Each structure stands twice: as C-alpha cells, then as structure tokens.
mmCIF file of all heavy atoms in Angstrom:
data_model
loop_
_atom_site.group_PDB
_atom_site.id
_atom_site.type_symbol
_atom_site.label_atom_id
_atom_site.label_comp_id
_atom_site.label_asym_id
_atom_site.label_seq_id
_atom_site.Cartn_x
_atom_site.Cartn_y
_atom_site.Cartn_z
ATOM 1 N N PRO V 265 46.275 -49.194 37.163
ATOM 2 C CA PRO V 265 45.433 -48.644 36.091
ATOM 3 C C PRO V 265 46.002 -48.909 34.700
ATOM 4 O O PRO V 265 45.251 -49.226 33.760
ATOM 5 C CB PRO V 265 45.389 -47.152 36.404
ATOM 6 C CG PRO V 265 45.614 -47.062 37.872
ATOM 7 C CD PRO V 265 46.595 -48.160 38.176
ATOM 8 N N GLU V 266 47.317 -48.784 34.544
ATOM 9 C CA GLU V 266 47.911 -49.050 33.235
ATOM 10 C C GLU V 266 47.886 -50.548 32.919
ATOM 11 O O GLU V 266 47.703 -50.946 31.763
ATOM 12 C CB GLU V 266 49.351 -48.523 33.177
ATOM 13 C CG GLU V 266 49.936 -48.589 31.767
ATOM 14 C CD GLU V 266 51.290 -47.909 31.649
ATOM 15 O OE1 GLU V 266 51.812 -47.410 32.664
ATOM 16 O OE2 GLU V 266 51.827 -47.860 30.518
ATOM 17 N N GLN V 267 48.075 -51.384 33.935
ATOM 18 C CA GLN V 267 47.951 -52.828 33.733
ATOM 19 C C GLN V 267 46.589 -53.175 33.157
ATOM 20 O O GLN V 267 46.467 -53.982 32.230
ATOM 21 C CB GLN V 267 48.145 -53.564 35.063
ATOM 22 C CG GLN V 267 49.562 -53.570 35.592
ATOM 23 C CD GLN V 267 49.688 -54.395 36.862
ATOM 24 O OE1 GLN V 267 49.015 -55.412 37.022
ATOM 25 N NE2 GLN V 267 50.551 -53.974 37.774
ATOM 26 N N GLU V 268 45.539 -52.552 33.712
ATOM 27 C CA GLU V 268 44.185 -52.839 33.250
ATOM 28 C C GLU V 268 43.968 -52.367 31.818
ATOM 29 O O GLU V 268 43.299 -53.040 31.026
ATOM 30 C CB GLU V 268 43.172 -52.192 34.191
ATOM 31 C CG GLU V 268 43.155 -52.826 35.582
ATOM 32 C CD GLU V 268 42.267 -52.069 36.555
ATOM 33 O OE1 GLU V 268 41.688 -51.032 36.140
ATOM 34 O OE2 GLU V 268 42.155 -52.499 37.712
ATOM 35 N N LYS V 269 44.527 -51.204 31.476
ATOM 36 C CA LYS V 269 44.411 -50.696 30.107
ATOM 37 C C LYS V 269 45.036 -51.677 29.112
ATOM 38 O O LYS V 269 44.445 -52.017 28.076
ATOM 39 C CB LYS V 269 45.112 -49.338 30.001
ATOM 40 C CG LYS V 269 44.371 -48.176 30.622
ATOM 41 C CD LYS V 269 43.336 -47.632 29.645
ATOM 42 C CE LYS V 269 42.758 -46.314 30.156
ATOM 43 N NZ LYS V 269 41.747 -45.771 29.227
ATOM 44 N N ILE V 270 46.259 -52.097 29.423
ATOM 45 C CA ILE V 270 46.976 -53.011 28.523
ATOM 46 C C ILE V 270 46.234 -54.338 28.420
ATOM 47 O O ILE V 270 46.018 -54.878 27.321
ATOM 48 C CB ILE V 270 48.417 -53.242 29.025
ATOM 49 C CG1 ILE V 270 49.211 -51.935 28.977
ATOM 50 C CG2 ILE V 270 49.116 -54.310 28.178
ATOM 51 C CD1 ILE V 270 50.554 -52.009 29.667
ATOM 52 N N ALA V 271 45.825 -54.870 29.581
ATOM 53 C CA ALA V 271 45.145 -56.166 29.593
ATOM 54 C C ALA V 271 43.831 -56.114 28.826
ATOM 55 O O ALA V 271 43.511 -57.039 28.065
ATOM 56 C CB ALA V 271 44.902 -56.607 31.036
ATOM 57 N N ASN V 272 43.071 -55.038 28.991
ATOM 58 C CA ASN V 272 41.788 -54.922 28.292
ATOM 59 C C ASN V 272 41.972 -54.879 26.785
ATOM 60 O O ASN V 272 41.232 -55.526 26.026
ATOM 61 C CB ASN V 272 41.043 -53.673 28.759
ATOM 62 C CG ASN V 272 40.505 -53.811 30.173
ATOM 63 O OD1 ASN V 272 40.374 -54.917 30.676
ATOM 64 N ND2 ASN V 272 40.222 -52.688 30.815
ATOM 65 N N LEU V 273 42.951 -54.093 26.328
ATOM 66 C CA LEU V 273 43.209 -53.995 24.891
ATOM 67 C C LEU V 273 43.590 -55.350 24.311
ATOM 68 O O LEU V 273 43.014 -55.809 23.318
ATOM 69 C CB LEU V 273 44.320 -52.978 24.624
ATOM 70 C CG LEU V 273 44.848 -52.955 23.179
ATOM 71 C CD1 LEU V 273 43.772 -52.481 22.214
ATOM 72 C CD2 LEU V 273 46.088 -52.072 23.066
ATOM 73 N N LEU V 274 44.571 -56.025 24.932
ATOM 74 C CA LEU V 274 45.053 -57.289 24.390
ATOM 75 C C LEU V 274 44.022 -58.403 24.544
ATOM 76 O O LEU V 274 43.946 -59.294 23.699
ATOM 77 C CB LEU V 274 46.365 -57.670 25.077
ATOM 78 C CG LEU V 274 47.549 -56.753 24.756
ATOM 79 C CD1 LEU V 274 48.772 -57.140 25.577
ATOM 80 C CD2 LEU V 274 47.892 -56.809 23.265
ATOM 81 N N THR V 275 43.217 -58.351 25.602
ATOM 82 C CA THR V 275 42.161 -59.345 25.765
ATOM 83 C C THR V 275 41.107 -59.197 24.675
ATOM 84 O O THR V 275 40.641 -60.188 24.089
ATOM 85 C CB THR V 275 41.506 -59.225 27.149
ATOM 86 O OG1 THR V 275 42.499 -59.452 28.159
ATOM 87 C CG2 THR V 275 40.386 -60.245 27.312
ATOM 88 N N LEU V 276 40.718 -57.948 24.371
ATOM 89 C CA LEU V 276 39.759 -57.710 23.285
ATOM 90 C C LEU V 276 40.309 -58.210 21.953
ATOM 91 O O LEU V 276 39.590 -58.830 21.163
ATOM 92 C CB LEU V 276 39.431 -56.212 23.191
ATOM 93 C CG LEU V 276 38.503 -55.652 24.262
ATOM 94 C CD1 LEU V 276 38.447 -54.125 24.169
ATOM 95 C CD2 LEU V 276 37.098 -56.233 24.122
ATOM 96 N N LEU V 277 41.583 -57.948 21.713
ATOM 97 C CA LEU V 277 42.199 -58.390 20.461
ATOM 98 C C LEU V 277 42.291 -59.915 20.414
ATOM 99 O O LEU V 277 42.035 -60.533 19.373
ATOM 100 C CB LEU V 277 43.587 -57.760 20.304
ATOM 101 C CG LEU V 277 44.312 -58.009 18.984
ATOM 102 C CD1 LEU V 277 43.442 -57.624 17.793
ATOM 103 C CD2 LEU V 277 45.628 -57.242 18.946
ATOM 104 N N SER V 278 42.634 -60.536 21.546
ATOM 105 C CA SER V 278 42.685 -62.006 21.599
ATOM 106 C C SER V 278 41.313 -62.607 21.343
ATOM 107 O O SER V 278 41.185 -63.619 20.639
ATOM 108 C CB SER V 278 43.220 -62.463 22.960
ATOM 109 O OG SER V 278 44.562 -62.058 23.140
ATOM 110 N N ASN V 279 40.273 -61.990 21.903
ATOM 111 C CA ASN V 279 38.913 -62.480 21.666
ATOM 112 C C ASN V 279 38.527 -62.330 20.200
ATOM 113 O O ASN V 279 37.864 -63.203 19.621
ATOM 114 C CB ASN V 279 37.919 -61.725 22.548
ATOM 115 C CG ASN V 279 38.083 -62.045 24.023
ATOM 116 O OD1 ASN V 279 38.672 -63.072 24.373
ATOM 117 N ND2 ASN V 279 37.589 -61.186 24.884
ATOM 118 N N ARG V 280 38.938 -61.216 19.592
ATOM 119 C CA ARG V 280 38.652 -60.993 18.168
ATOM 120 C C ARG V 280 39.357 -62.044 17.315
ATOM 121 O O ARG V 280 38.785 -62.550 16.337
ATOM 122 C CB ARG V 280 39.113 -59.586 17.769
ATOM 123 C CG ARG V 280 38.978 -59.277 16.293
ATOM 124 C CD ARG V 280 37.512 -59.192 15.868
ATOM 125 N NE ARG V 280 37.396 -58.955 14.445
ATOM 126 C CZ ARG V 280 37.397 -59.914 13.521
ATOM 127 N NH1 ARG V 280 37.506 -61.196 13.886
ATOM 128 N NH2 ARG V 280 37.270 -59.622 12.258
ATOM 129 N N ILE V 281 40.590 -62.382 17.682
ATOM 130 C CA ILE V 281 41.343 -63.410 16.958
ATOM 131 C C ILE V 281 40.655 -64.761 17.085
ATOM 132 O O ILE V 281 40.533 -65.510 16.105
ATOM 133 C CB ILE V 281 42.794 -63.473 17.475
ATOM 134 C CG1 ILE V 281 43.565 -62.223 17.020
ATOM 135 C CG2 ILE V 281 43.498 -64.734 16.990
ATOM 136 C CD1 ILE V 281 44.930 -62.077 17.647
ATOM 137 N N GLU V 282 40.179 -65.082 18.285
ATOM 138 C CA GLU V 282 39.493 -66.358 18.489
ATOM 139 C C GLU V 282 38.190 -66.403 17.684
ATOM 140 O O GLU V 282 37.850 -67.445 17.091
ATOM 141 C CB GLU V 282 39.214 -66.571 19.970
ATOM 142 C CG GLU V 282 38.520 -67.885 20.302
ATOM 143 C CD GLU V 282 39.301 -69.110 19.837
ATOM 144 O OE1 GLU V 282 40.548 -69.029 19.705
ATOM 145 O OE2 GLU V 282 38.658 -70.145 19.583
ATOM 146 N N GLU V 283 37.460 -65.297 17.636
ATOM 147 C CA GLU V 283 36.240 -65.251 16.819
ATOM 148 C C GLU V 283 36.567 -65.463 15.343
ATOM 149 O O GLU V 283 35.847 -66.164 14.632
ATOM 150 C CB GLU V 283 35.548 -63.896 17.007
ATOM 151 C CG GLU V 283 34.914 -63.698 18.378
ATOM 152 C CD GLU V 283 34.396 -62.287 18.555
ATOM 153 O OE1 GLU V 283 34.538 -61.471 17.620
ATOM 154 O OE2 GLU V 283 33.857 -61.990 19.645
ATOM 155 N N GLN V 284 37.659 -64.860 14.891
ATOM 156 C CA GLN V 284 38.075 -65.018 13.503
ATOM 157 C C GLN V 284 38.456 -66.465 13.216
ATOM 158 O O GLN V 284 38.108 -67.021 12.171
ATOM 159 C CB GLN V 284 39.258 -64.093 13.197
ATOM 160 C CG GLN V 284 39.651 -64.028 11.732
ATOM 161 C CD GLN V 284 38.608 -63.341 10.878
ATOM 162 O OE1 GLN V 284 37.745 -62.626 11.385
ATOM 163 N NE2 GLN V 284 38.685 -63.535 9.577
ATOM 164 N N ARG V 285 39.154 -67.080 14.156
ATOM 165 C CA ARG V 285 39.546 -68.479 13.992
ATOM 166 C C ARG V 285 38.311 -69.379 13.927
ATOM 167 O O ARG V 285 38.250 -70.305 13.102
ATOM 168 C CB ARG V 285 40.460 -68.893 15.145
ATOM 169 C CG ARG V 285 41.045 -70.301 14.994
ATOM 170 C CD ARG V 285 41.953 -70.653 16.156
ATOM 171 N NE ARG V 285 43.162 -69.846 16.136
ATOM 172 C CZ ARG V 285 43.477 -68.914 17.030
ATOM 173 N NH1 ARG V 285 42.641 -68.673 18.022
ATOM 174 N NH2 ARG V 285 44.584 -68.238 16.944
ATOM 175 N N GLN V 286 37.339 -69.128 14.770
ATOM 176 C CA GLN V 286 36.118 -69.935 14.764
ATOM 177 C C GLN V 286 35.323 -69.726 13.469
ATOM 178 O O GLN V 286 34.697 -70.661 12.964
ATOM 179 C CB GLN V 286 35.252 -69.588 15.980
ATOM 180 C CG GLN V 286 35.843 -70.017 17.312
ATOM 181 C CD GLN V 286 36.104 -71.506 17.387
ATOM 182 O OE1 GLN V 286 35.323 -72.324 16.894
ATOM 183 N NE2 GLN V 286 37.226 -71.878 17.990
ATOM 184 N N LEU V 287 35.341 -68.506 12.937
ATOM 185 C CA LEU V 287 34.676 -68.240 11.666
ATOM 186 C C LEU V 287 35.301 -69.070 10.551
ATOM 187 O O LEU V 287 34.586 -69.662 9.719
ATOM 188 C CB LEU V 287 34.767 -66.747 11.327
ATOM 189 C CG LEU V 287 34.281 -66.329 9.928
ATOM 190 C CD1 LEU V 287 32.811 -66.664 9.749
ATOM 191 C CD2 LEU V 287 34.531 -64.846 9.696
ATOM 192 N N ILE V 288 36.618 -69.131 10.517
ATOM 193 C CA ILE V 288 37.317 -69.911 9.485
ATOM 194 C C ILE V 288 36.996 -71.391 9.631
ATOM 195 O O ILE V 288 36.752 -72.093 8.639
ATOM 196 C CB ILE V 288 38.831 -69.655 9.565
ATOM 197 C CG1 ILE V 288 39.135 -68.203 9.171
ATOM 198 C CG2 ILE V 288 39.601 -70.619 8.670
ATOM 199 C CD1 ILE V 288 40.555 -67.768 9.456
ATOM 200 N N ILE V 289 36.985 -71.881 10.863
ATOM 201 C CA ILE V 289 36.637 -73.285 11.107
ATOM 202 C C ILE V 289 35.231 -73.581 10.595
ATOM 203 O O ILE V 289 34.977 -74.607 9.954
ATOM 204 C CB ILE V 289 36.748 -73.611 12.608
ATOM 205 C CG1 ILE V 289 38.220 -73.587 13.040
ATOM 206 C CG2 ILE V 289 36.127 -74.971 12.923
ATOM 207 C CD1 ILE V 289 38.421 -73.720 14.540
ATOM 208 N N ALA V 290 34.285 -72.656 10.871
ATOM 209 C CA ALA V 290 32.905 -72.846 10.427
ATOM 210 C C ALA V 290 32.804 -72.837 8.905
ATOM 211 O O ALA V 290 32.064 -73.649 8.312
ATOM 212 C CB ALA V 290 32.015 -71.761 11.030
ATOM 213 N N LEU V 291 33.537 -71.924 8.250
ATOM 214 C CA LEU V 291 33.508 -71.873 6.784
ATOM 215 C C LEU V 291 34.060 -73.154 6.169
ATOM 216 O O LEU V 291 33.506 -73.684 5.197
ATOM 217 C CB LEU V 291 34.311 -70.661 6.290
ATOM 218 C CG LEU V 291 33.641 -69.289 6.414
ATOM 219 C CD1 LEU V 291 34.638 -68.186 6.084
ATOM 220 C CD2 LEU V 291 32.432 -69.193 5.497
ATOM 221 N N LYS V 292 35.142 -73.659 6.725
ATOM 222 C CA LYS V 292 35.740 -74.888 6.208
ATOM 223 C C LYS V 292 34.804 -76.080 6.416
ATOM 224 O O LYS V 292 34.680 -76.950 5.542
ATOM 225 C CB LYS V 292 37.094 -75.142 6.875
ATOM 226 C CG LYS V 292 38.183 -74.176 6.436
ATOM 227 C CD LYS V 292 39.513 -74.502 7.104
ATOM 228 C CE LYS V 292 40.610 -73.586 6.577
ATOM 229 N NZ LYS V 292 41.928 -73.870 7.207
ATOM 230 N N LYS V 293 34.147 -76.100 7.562
ATOM 231 C CA LYS V 293 33.194 -77.181 7.831
ATOM 232 C C LYS V 293 32.023 -77.105 6.864
ATOM 233 O O LYS V 293 31.564 -78.130 6.330
ATOM 234 C CB LYS V 293 32.707 -77.073 9.281
ATOM 235 C CG LYS V 293 31.745 -78.170 9.678
ATOM 236 C CD LYS V 293 31.326 -78.030 11.137
ATOM 237 C CE LYS V 293 30.344 -79.132 11.534
ATOM 238 N NZ LYS V 293 29.937 -79.007 12.965
ATOM 239 N N TYR V 294 31.526 -75.891 6.613
ATOM 240 C CA TYR V 294 30.407 -75.715 5.691
ATOM 241 C C TYR V 294 30.810 -76.131 4.275
ATOM 242 O O TYR V 294 30.034 -76.769 3.555
ATOM 243 C CB TYR V 294 29.946 -74.265 5.706
ATOM 244 C CG TYR V 294 28.613 -74.040 5.029
ATOM 245 C CD1 TYR V 294 27.422 -74.163 5.733
ATOM 246 C CD2 TYR V 294 28.545 -73.724 3.673
ATOM 247 C CE1 TYR V 294 26.195 -73.971 5.118
ATOM 248 C CE2 TYR V 294 27.321 -73.540 3.041
ATOM 249 C CZ TYR V 294 26.156 -73.659 3.773
ATOM 250 O OH TYR V 294 24.948 -73.487 3.153
ATOM 251 N N LYS V 295 32.033 -75.773 3.898
ATOM 252 C CA LYS V 295 32.512 -76.142 2.565
ATOM 253 C C LYS V 295 32.611 -77.656 2.424
ATOM 254 O O LYS V 295 32.209 -78.228 1.402
ATOM 255 C CB LYS V 295 33.879 -75.503 2.309
ATOM 256 C CG LYS V 295 34.482 -75.915 0.960
ATOM 257 C CD LYS V 295 35.961 -75.645 0.904
ATOM 258 C CE LYS V 295 36.597 -76.425 -0.236
ATOM 259 N NZ LYS V 295 38.062 -76.300 -0.257
ATOM 260 N N ARG V 296 33.152 -78.328 3.449
ATOM 261 C CA ARG V 296 33.237 -79.796 3.384
ATOM 262 C C ARG V 296 31.858 -80.411 3.225
ATOM 263 O O ARG V 296 31.672 -81.366 2.460
ATOM 264 C CB ARG V 296 33.915 -80.343 4.651
ATOM 265 C CG ARG V 296 35.401 -80.069 4.736
ATOM 266 C CD ARG V 296 36.053 -80.931 5.803
ATOM 267 N NE ARG V 296 35.510 -80.666 7.132
ATOM 268 C CZ ARG V 296 35.980 -79.753 7.965
ATOM 269 N NH1 ARG V 296 37.023 -79.006 7.594
ATOM 270 N NH2 ARG V 296 35.450 -79.582 9.159
ATOM 271 N N GLY V 297 30.877 -79.855 3.945
ATOM 272 C CA GLY V 297 29.517 -80.356 3.814
ATOM 273 C C GLY V 297 28.953 -80.127 2.428
ATOM 274 O O GLY V 297 28.267 -81.001 1.868
ATOM 275 N N ALA V 298 29.252 -78.949 1.839
ATOM 276 C CA ALA V 298 28.763 -78.635 0.496
ATOM 277 C C ALA V 298 29.380 -79.568 -0.537
ATOM 278 O O ALA V 298 28.686 -80.067 -1.438
ATOM 279 C CB ALA V 298 29.078 -77.183 0.153
ATOM 280 N N VAL V 299 30.679 -79.822 -0.407
ATOM 281 C CA VAL V 299 31.356 -80.729 -1.343
ATOM 282 C C VAL V 299 30.735 -82.121 -1.269
ATOM 283 O O VAL V 299 30.409 -82.737 -2.295
ATOM 284 C CB VAL V 299 32.867 -80.790 -1.032
ATOM 285 C CG1 VAL V 299 33.539 -81.912 -1.841
ATOM 286 C CG2 VAL V 299 33.539 -79.461 -1.349
ATOM 287 N N ALA V 300 30.574 -82.624 -0.051
ATOM 288 C CA ALA V 300 30.004 -83.968 0.111
ATOM 289 C C ALA V 300 28.572 -84.027 -0.404
ATOM 290 O O ALA V 300 28.164 -85.009 -1.047
ATOM 291 C CB ALA V 300 30.059 -84.368 1.588
ATOM 292 N N HIS V 301 27.789 -82.985 -0.158
ATOM 293 C CA HIS V 301 26.392 -82.955 -0.578
ATOM 294 C C HIS V 301 26.273 -82.959 -2.099
ATOM 295 O O HIS V 301 25.446 -83.681 -2.670
ATOM 296 C CB HIS V 301 25.719 -81.715 0.006
ATOM 297 C CG HIS V 301 24.243 -81.639 -0.234
ATOM 298 N ND1 HIS V 301 23.344 -82.524 0.347
ATOM 299 C CD2 HIS V 301 23.505 -80.800 -1.006
ATOM 300 C CE1 HIS V 301 22.129 -82.228 -0.048
ATOM 301 N NE2 HIS V 301 22.183 -81.188 -0.865
ATOM 302 N N ILE V 302 27.125 -82.184 -2.754
ATOM 303 C CA ILE V 302 27.042 -82.067 -4.218
ATOM 304 C C ILE V 302 27.596 -83.301 -4.908
ATOM 305 O O ILE V 302 26.950 -83.883 -5.797
ATOM 306 C CB ILE V 302 27.802 -80.809 -4.689
ATOM 307 C CG1 ILE V 302 27.092 -79.547 -4.188
ATOM 308 C CG2 ILE V 302 27.923 -80.789 -6.208
ATOM 309 C CD1 ILE V 302 27.888 -78.279 -4.398
ATOM 310 N N LEU V 303 28.795 -83.745 -4.497
ATOM 311 C CA LEU V 303 29.456 -84.837 -5.216
ATOM 312 C C LEU V 303 28.875 -86.201 -4.885
ATOM 313 O O LEU V 303 29.155 -87.175 -5.585
ATOM 314 C CB LEU V 303 30.954 -84.808 -4.934
ATOM 315 C CG LEU V 303 31.680 -83.548 -5.424
ATOM 316 C CD1 LEU V 303 33.175 -83.652 -5.217
ATOM 317 C CD2 LEU V 303 31.379 -83.294 -6.908
ATOM 318 N N SER V 304 28.063 -86.281 -3.834
ATOM 319 C CA SER V 304 27.360 -87.546 -3.548
ATOM 320 C C SER V 304 26.060 -87.643 -4.330
ATOM 321 O O SER V 304 25.348 -88.649 -4.251
ATOM 322 C CB SER V 304 27.075 -87.658 -2.045
ATOM 323 O OG SER V 304 26.193 -86.627 -1.633
ATOM 324 N N GLY V 305 25.725 -86.569 -5.077
ATOM 325 C CA GLY V 305 24.523 -86.580 -5.896
ATOM 326 C C GLY V 305 23.256 -86.190 -5.171
ATOM 327 O O GLY V 305 22.152 -86.383 -5.693
ATOM 328 N N LYS V 306 23.381 -85.612 -3.957
ATOM 329 C CA LYS V 306 22.202 -85.263 -3.168
ATOM 330 C C LYS V 306 21.703 -83.850 -3.441
ATOM 331 O O LYS V 306 20.620 -83.479 -3.005
ATOM 332 C CB LYS V 306 22.513 -85.422 -1.680
ATOM 333 C CG LYS V 306 22.835 -86.850 -1.273
ATOM 334 C CD LYS V 306 23.184 -86.925 0.207
ATOM 335 C CE LYS V 306 23.530 -88.357 0.603
ATOM 336 N NZ LYS V 306 23.916 -88.445 2.046
ATOM 337 N N SER V 307 22.493 -83.050 -4.131
ATOM 338 C CA SER V 307 22.111 -81.666 -4.380
ATOM 339 C C SER V 307 21.104 -81.591 -5.528
ATOM 340 O O SER V 307 21.386 -82.025 -6.656
ATOM 341 C CB SER V 307 23.347 -80.833 -4.714
ATOM 342 O OG SER V 307 22.972 -79.552 -5.158
ATOM 343 N N VAL V 308 19.943 -81.023 -5.251
ATOM 344 C CA VAL V 308 18.911 -80.876 -6.281
ATOM 345 C C VAL V 308 19.393 -79.953 -7.387
ATOM 346 O O VAL V 308 19.102 -80.149 -8.576
ATOM 347 C CB VAL V 308 17.610 -80.335 -5.660
ATOM 348 C CG1 VAL V 308 16.560 -80.081 -6.732
ATOM 349 C CG2 VAL V 308 17.085 -81.294 -4.600
ATOM 350 N N ALA V 309 20.168 -78.946 -7.023
ATOM 351 C CA ALA V 309 20.623 -77.954 -8.004
ATOM 352 C C ALA V 309 21.570 -78.546 -9.037
ATOM 353 O O ALA V 309 21.593 -78.108 -10.186
ATOM 354 C CB ALA V 309 21.301 -76.790 -7.273
ATOM 355 N N PHE V 310 22.372 -79.563 -8.645
ATOM 356 C CA PHE V 310 23.401 -80.081 -9.561
ATOM 357 C C PHE V 310 23.186 -81.545 -9.956
ATOM 358 O O PHE V 310 23.790 -82.008 -10.919
ATOM 359 C CB PHE V 310 24.784 -79.942 -8.928
ATOM 360 C CG PHE V 310 25.186 -78.515 -8.670
ATOM 361 C CD1 PHE V 310 25.272 -78.017 -7.374
ATOM 362 C CD2 PHE V 310 25.477 -77.656 -9.717
ATOM 363 C CE1 PHE V 310 25.650 -76.712 -7.124
ATOM 364 C CE2 PHE V 310 25.852 -76.342 -9.481
ATOM 365 C CZ PHE V 310 25.938 -75.867 -8.178
ATOM 366 N N ALA V 311 22.367 -82.285 -9.219
ATOM 367 C CA ALA V 311 22.240 -83.718 -9.470
ATOM 368 C C ALA V 311 21.189 -84.015 -10.524
ATOM 369 O O ALA V 311 20.115 -84.525 -10.238
ATOM 370 C CB ALA V 311 21.909 -84.455 -8.175
ATOM 371 N N VAL V 312 21.472 -83.664 -11.750
ATOM 372 C CA VAL V 312 20.603 -84.025 -12.871
ATOM 373 C C VAL V 312 20.987 -85.449 -13.271
ATOM 374 O O VAL V 312 22.034 -85.678 -13.855
ATOM 375 C CB VAL V 312 20.791 -83.057 -14.058
ATOM 376 C CG1 VAL V 312 19.857 -83.451 -15.200
ATOM 377 C CG2 VAL V 312 20.546 -81.630 -13.611
#
C-alpha cells in the first residue's frame, strides 16, 4: 500500500513535468514559426 502511494505521487509529478516540457517545446516551436513568418515578409501585420 505504501509503495502504491509513493509511486502514484511521483508518477503524477513526472507526468506533470513531461507536460511542462512539452509546453515549452510547443512555445519554442511557435516562436520559431512566428520569427520566420514575420522576417520573411509574409506577415500582413508587419510586412508593409
């Protein structure tokens, strides 16, 4: 029973860490896309 308690807590925390890591990866990917979109002159908002 105590093994299960410990494992459940740390597994939930590990899953939360993985979700956080994936969020950061997604933000960085989105930023790279935004940089390329704007500086290539494709952005309507900035490409005057």
Side-chain angles (χ1 to χ4, degrees):
E266 189 173 2
Q267 288 184 35
E268 292 173 359
K269 285 277 190 180
I270 296 170
N272 288 341
L273 170 66
L274 292 175
T275 299
L276 285 171
L277 186 53
S278 295
N279 292 340
R280 175 68 182 86
I281 289 171
E282 181 58 26
E283 290 173 0
Q284 188 69 18
R285 186 179 292 112
Q286 292 302 321
L287 172 61
I288 293 169
I289 291 173
L291 283 171
K292 289 182 176 180
K293 182 179 179 180
Y294 193 88
K295 177 198 163 186
R296 288 195 299 271
V299 170
H301 186 67
I302 293 170
L303 297 185
S304 64
K306 297 178 181 178
S307 171
V308 176
F310 297 110
V312 181

